[in-house]
Amino acid sequence: MKIPGWLREESASGRGNEAAFKGEGFIDRTLGNIASFMEGAFDREYSPGGVLQSIEPRARIIGIFFLVFAAALAGRALTLIAVVSLTVVLALLSGVRIGRLLKRTMPALVFTSIMVAPISLSFFTPGSAVLNIGGAAVTGEGVRTGLFIIARVGAMSGLTALLMLASRQADLFRGLRGVVPSFFVTALFMTYRYVFMLMKTAEDMALARRSRTITGTKLREAQGWFASRTGLILRKTASIADEVTLAMVSRGFEGKIRTFESKGMRGKDLIFIGTASFALFLSIGL
Amino acid sequence: MKEEVYRLQGVSFSYGASLAVKDVSFAVGRGETLAVIGANGSGKSTLLKILDCLIHPSAGIMSFLGERLSEETIKGGLGRRFRERVGFVFAEPDVQLFSPTVFDELAFGPLQLGLSGDEVRRRCEELLDALGISTLGDRPPYTLSSGEKKKVAIASVLAINPEVLLLDEPTNGLDPRAQVWLHELIQGLKGLKTFIIATHDLSMVGDLTDRAIVLDEAHGIAADGPSTEILGDRDLLLRTNIIHEHAHRHGDVVHIHGHSTNSTHDEHEK
């Protein structure tokens, strides 16, 4: 093999402009954030051992669903406070740290707060003004309505976060199989599993690009690169989907996925569902 | 030859206009350990997919245990019986591991083939134990290392208890310890199962297989014979791009080496 002459020379250190070197660009940050969210969504933050973890996954999902439904139907602040209190108690009994639960709930709370902020103004909710901001009056009724919506969203997202934090990924999918047709659950799991894998590919591509980027790239160039890689990943997705289908067919898949039959529920599973459905019943009445 | 498991006559396959397998004919006997070797892109993986009836030949005839294999017969009554008897380990374990846990992964095949839940649980537990991966049972497969993934992929196929195992590049990406594990596993099952192994790894061909088929870069069979004879035919291996040759000097001595992907020097000449 003939090595080109320039390859034998000393590498051209100092030729690039150090001032022009840029650290993480928007691509790295975006991919990094998505990947860490995907990764953190399950197992990483799983808290083992505790009351919720001892409940059969199917019963756990049904019970939490009833409580979420109770929060959605609650007509009084007292009911919402009761649901939030129950969430906190369940979290403590399940070994889930409140700080971690709040961290998971916070994005939904912030987003909802921004969305419902205008409702406190007199244009939308007439009532007695408690504050004037540049000609627009904030009404007491509007503030109460807004807070009620935020509390409702907080309770619902808190319960969902609690379910995630107290469930291993496998348990969650196993539990779902007992509630919805297994085909959908398998499709859902595969989506998660391969999105995760493709995210890793995208991250590696971004890292490989960054390792060879010396002076940084302009935003437009970076966007162009991002679009071309998206196309590549799309093609890779199609290729993986074909191979996965072949791998399933090879092991006997004929269009219908057969799974283990769910085991029967135990006393404490039924008690959990019963308590949650009672809370749902009360929320309709209150 | 013992009872014939596979017979291929004039089998060809193309991906669109691109020919992948050309006019291939051979037979495989029960309990045989056959290597399919060839350069990258010679059609090894495609041939294995044809043997697993995942893709169907565009020309030629193929039979399994005396029954004609085709798209129609596989979709008919033969499909279930064929899937129970033939297992395929893909080169890339990630495409084969799609279940939430390793245990579920092992259970997937037997459950699809209609075994009872209790029987499947028993099989999976015994297999995890036998292959020394019982600690991985509850782990999601995507969190495993490359070697562990390969072990689980092999276990997921063994759980079906097939008569024929098709292994596509089984040693790819395996560290030395995992390679030894795989060698021991194949050695332990040799004679009990029929193995068809597509590989670049000539040490595996020499150590484990009785017979080798060499695919050339025109996608046809360049040679078919006992593994020791095939590995001894340096010209054949050079011609089919399975090994390459280079020379270098140590003082006054010129060494000419034949290399394969996984080999060290296999010949010294002065």
Side-chain angles (χ1 to χ4, degrees):
Chain A
M1 187 184 286
K2 194 181 174 199
I3 306 291
W6 56 264
L7 204 50
R8 296 172 188 276
E9 290 170 12
E10 201 176 325
S11 63
S13 58
R15 191 180 291 165
N17 177 4
E18 279 185 32
F21 179 80
K22 289 176 183 170
E24 280 195 344
F26 87 96
I27 293 173
D28 307 276
R29 279 199 304 274
T30 310
L31 285 173
N33 289 343
I34 297 173
S36 71
F37 170 78
M38 294 290 296
E39 225 171 320
F42 288 104
D43 295 338
R44 279 280 175 96
E45 296 185 46
Y46 167 67
S47 308
V51 168
L52 265 183
Q53 292 86 335
S54 71
I55 305 283
E56 199 257 347
R58 191 173 28 155
R60 204 183 310 164
I61 290 171
I62 294 172
I64 295 286
F65 175 76
F66 281 164
L67 291 175
V68 169
F69 212 49
L73 293 178
R76 293 176 60 188
L78 191 67
T79 317
L80 275 181
I81 291 167
V83 173
V84 172
S85 308
L86 188 61
T87 309
V88 171
V89 170
L90 273 175
L92 291 172
L93 291 175
S94 306
V96 174
R97 289 208 308 270
I98 301 302
R100 191 181 277 180
L101 190 64
L102 265 176
K103 191 180 152 199
R104 285 299 191 92
T105 313
M106 203 49 79
L109 286 177
V110 172
F111 182 73
T112 311
S113 303
I114 294 166
M115 294 298 287
V116 303
I119 215 168
S120 61
L121 301 175
S122 55
F123 307 128
F124 297 100
T125 316
S128 50
V130 290
L131 188 69
N132 273 307
I133 308 169
V138 175
T139 65
E141 287 81 353
V143 170
R144 274 196 295 278
T145 308
L147 284 176
F148 190 77
I149 294 171
I150 292 167
R152 191 197 295 280
V153 170
M156 291 164 76
S157 59
L159 280 162
T160 314
L162 178 61
L163 177 65
M164 302 288 272
L165 291 169
S167 304
R168 286 184 317 157
Q169 182 211 74
D171 287 343
L172 213 52
F173 284 108
R174 200 170 291 140
L176 277 173
R177 279 212 173 100
V179 184
V180 290
S182 64
F183 178 80
F184 292 109
V185 182
T186 305
L188 188 69
F189 171 74
M190 284 192 183
T191 306
Y192 169 76
R193 189 244 183 280
Y194 288 104
V195 161
F196 186 78
M197 190 175 129
L198 290 163
M199 276 309 304
K200 184 84 184 68
T201 308
E203 249 193 315
D204 288 346
M205 282 179 183
L207 278 177
R209 177 177 174 275
R210 203 167 118 203
S211 75
R212 285 179 290 152
T213 304
I214 295 162
T215 56
T217 44
K218 291 174 184 161
L219 183 64
R220 187 168 288 276
E221 281 172 8
Q223 285 169 339
W225 180 87
F226 194 74
S228 72
R229 294 307 94 176
T230 307
L232 187 75
I233 286 174
L234 200 63
R235 282 207 297 278
K236 200 173 164 73
T237 307
S239 152
I240 290 174
D242 285 346
E243 288 282 298
V244 171
T245 308
L246 291 181
M248 291 174 75
V249 169
S250 173
R251 279 153 70 192
F253 172 67
E254 291 171 325
K256 186 190 171 199
I257 291 174
R258 296 182 179 89
T259 53
F260 285 118
E261 281 178 23
S262 303
K263 287 180 183 168
M265 289 196 198
R266 299 155 302 174
K268 63 176 170 183
D269 304 325
L270 295 171
I271 290 171
F272 181 66
I273 292 179
T275 310
S277 55
F278 184 63
L280 174 60
F281 173 74
L282 285 180
S283 74
I284 298 168
L286 291 172
Chain B
M1 186 185 277
K2 293 177 188 172
E3 187 191 359
E4 210 170 79
V5 179
Y6 277 109
R7 173 164 286 277
L8 279 75
Q9 286 174 295
V11 166
S12 296
F13 182 84
S14 302
Y15 291 105
S18 165
L19 190 68
V21 172
K22 186 186 170 190
D23 195 21
V24 164
S25 302
F26 65 91
V28 184
R30 194 187 285 271
E32 204 173 349
T33 306
L34 171 73
V36 178
I37 56 178
N40 278 345
S42 58
K44 302 187 297 291
S45 298
T46 305
L47 182 59
L48 253 58
K49 281 182 185 162
I50 291 172
L51 290 170
D52 198 32
C53 275
L54 296 174
I55 52 178
H56 301 281
S58 44
I61 296 170
M62 191 164 75
S63 61
F64 178 76
L65 292 172
E67 289 189 78
R68 174 83 184 268
L69 279 178
S70 67
E71 202 165 354
E72 290 73 35
T73 55
I74 278 292
K75 281 180 183 164
L78 180 59
R80 171 63 61 89
R81 277 181 287 134
F82 181 79
R83 297 287 170 224
E84 281 170 352
R85 288 180 167 81
V86 182
F88 184 18
V89 179
F90 283 66
E92 176 53 70
D94 267 323
V95 303
Q96 206 176 325
L97 306 179
F98 42 73
S99 300
T101 65
V102 167
F103 192 89
D104 291 332
E105 199 62 69
L106 266 60
F108 181 86
L111 284 172
Q112 305 321 301
L113 295 171
L115 267 72
S116 73
D118 288 341
E119 168 67 9
V120 174
R121 280 192 188 89
R122 189 182 60 80
R123 260 193 200 190
C124 294
E125 278 160 13
E126 286 179 3
L127 200 54
L128 284 169
D129 202 32
L131 300 186
I133 49 174
S134 46
T135 51
L136 306 180
D138 284 335
R139 296 259 304 270
Y142 66 83
T143 62
L144 306 178
S145 69
S146 303
E148 288 170 336
K149 279 181 186 173
K150 190 64 111 181
K151 285 180 182 179
V152 174
I154 292 169
S156 72
V157 171
L158 285 177
I160 301 167
N161 191 19
E163 288 174 33
V164 180
L165 278 151
L166 308 169
L167 310 180
D168 192 2
E169 300 287 5
T171 52
N172 259 13
L174 291 189
D175 57 34
R177 197 176 295 157
Q179 286 194 27
V180 169
W181 175 90
L182 182 66
H183 277 229
E184 286 175 355
L185 178 70
I186 296 175
Q187 203 67 262
L189 292 171
K190 203 172 166 182
L192 302 171
K193 308 278 179 197
T194 304
F195 283 95
I196 303 178
I197 306 168
T199 185
H200 274 119
D201 184 352
L202 296 188
S203 69
M204 182 175 218
V205 177
D207 293 346
L208 297 172
T209 65
D210 313 313
R211 181 180 150 210
I213 286 177
V214 181
L215 293 182
D216 58 26
E217 291 179 292
H219 313 288
I221 293 184
D224 178 353
S227 301
T228 45
E229 275 182 29
I230 296 283
L231 291 179
D233 190 341
R234 180 187 176 84
D235 289 338
L236 169 73
L237 298 180
L238 279 170
R239 199 172 63 243
T240 49
N241 195 20
I242 293 167
I243 62 169
H244 68 277
E245 193 174 63
H246 78 271
H248 62 202
R249 184 179 287 274
H250 296 293
D252 294 336
V253 180
V254 175
H255 282 166
I256 300 173
H257 302 297
H259 285 283
S260 76
T261 331
N262 296 58
S263 75
T264 50
H265 299 164
D266 61 357
E267 190 173 332
H268 282 184
E269 289 173 9
K270 192 168 181 180

